[in-house]
Amino acid sequence: LSTQVANATTGAFSVAYAKSDFQALTDGTYTLKAVATDAAGNASAASTRSVVVDTQAPVTSLTALGNALLNASTASTYAQTLSGVEPGNTVTAAVYSSSNASTPVLKLQYDAVAGQIKGANGVGLSALADGNYSVVVKVTDAAGNQTSNTQALKIDNQAPVLTLSAVGTDGYLNS
């Protein structure tokens, strides 16, 4: 609650509120109401504005991969379910290498219809070299509150090398 004096020439006034003024409020919609009163005590009709207080980050969940070890085939079809995304939320997803957690090596996309994080342009994760990675998914609501989900995974595209040695000296087995 505050009282402000309007500009004598223009009638304009403004009210600035500190963030701390709203910290005691629980999340929800509130109505701000202003009434102007002149020097003679005449009051104007009330003017109102709705204000939304939203201090909570979205509650989301990235379904864990059944097997976080991906080969060439499974990396190319990579998809993970992301639940809890609400209309108006912004989803960003990227893959980071274990050696550089600040610069993404691959950006991913969110398929809102399927509710899944996937490789961009149908590539999946097949563009990644062998190694350890983290998929980091950030969900931000309209108020700017953000939550983050992380999935560790390993890419292993190299098939094992198998070498058979000769059997005996002549290649025959006998009793």
Side-chain angles (χ1 to χ4, degrees):
L1 187 62
S2 73
T3 302
Q4 301 296 320
V5 177
N7 179 295
T9 305
T10 65
F13 72 97
S14 65
V15 179
Y17 292 99
K19 183 177 180 180
S20 60
D21 292 338
F22 295 98
Q23 288 178 330
L25 298 175
T26 58
D27 284 7
T29 302
Y30 294 88
T31 302
L32 295 179
K33 178 175 141 181
V35 175
T37 305
D38 65 16
N42 300 309
S44 70
S47 179
T48 61
R49 295 278 177 167
S50 291
V51 176
V52 176
V53 174
D54 179 0
T55 62
Q56 301 300 312
V59 177
T60 60
S61 176
L62 185 63
T63 302
L65 292 172
N67 182 0
L69 177 61
L70 305 178
N71 60 31
S73 175
T74 55
S76 68
T77 59
Y78 164 82
Q80 264 185 287
T81 300
L82 179 65
S83 59
V85 178
E86 297 178 358
N89 288 168
T90 302
V91 178
T92 57
V95 178
Y96 295 83
S97 73
S98 60
S99 62
N100 184 352
S102 61
T103 304
V105 295
L106 182 67
K107 292 191 180 197
L108 302 174
Q109 66 185 21
Y110 175 63
D111 179 343
V113 175
Q116 294 182 324
I117 300 297
K118 298 179 177 183
N121 304 318
V123 173
L125 304 180
S126 59
L128 298 175
D130 287 3
N132 295 310
Y133 298 92
S134 293
V135 172
V136 178
V137 179
K138 295 179 182 178
V139 180
T140 308
D141 66 15
N145 302 307
Q146 186 177 81
T147 190
S148 182
N149 298 276
T150 302
Q151 166 74 58
L153 56 87
K154 182 175 184 173
I155 302 290
D156 182 359
N157 292 315
Q158 300 300 314
V161 176
L162 176 64
T163 305
L164 292 177
S165 301
V167 178
T169 57
D170 59 4
Y172 290 100
L173 290 177
N174 58 32
S175 55

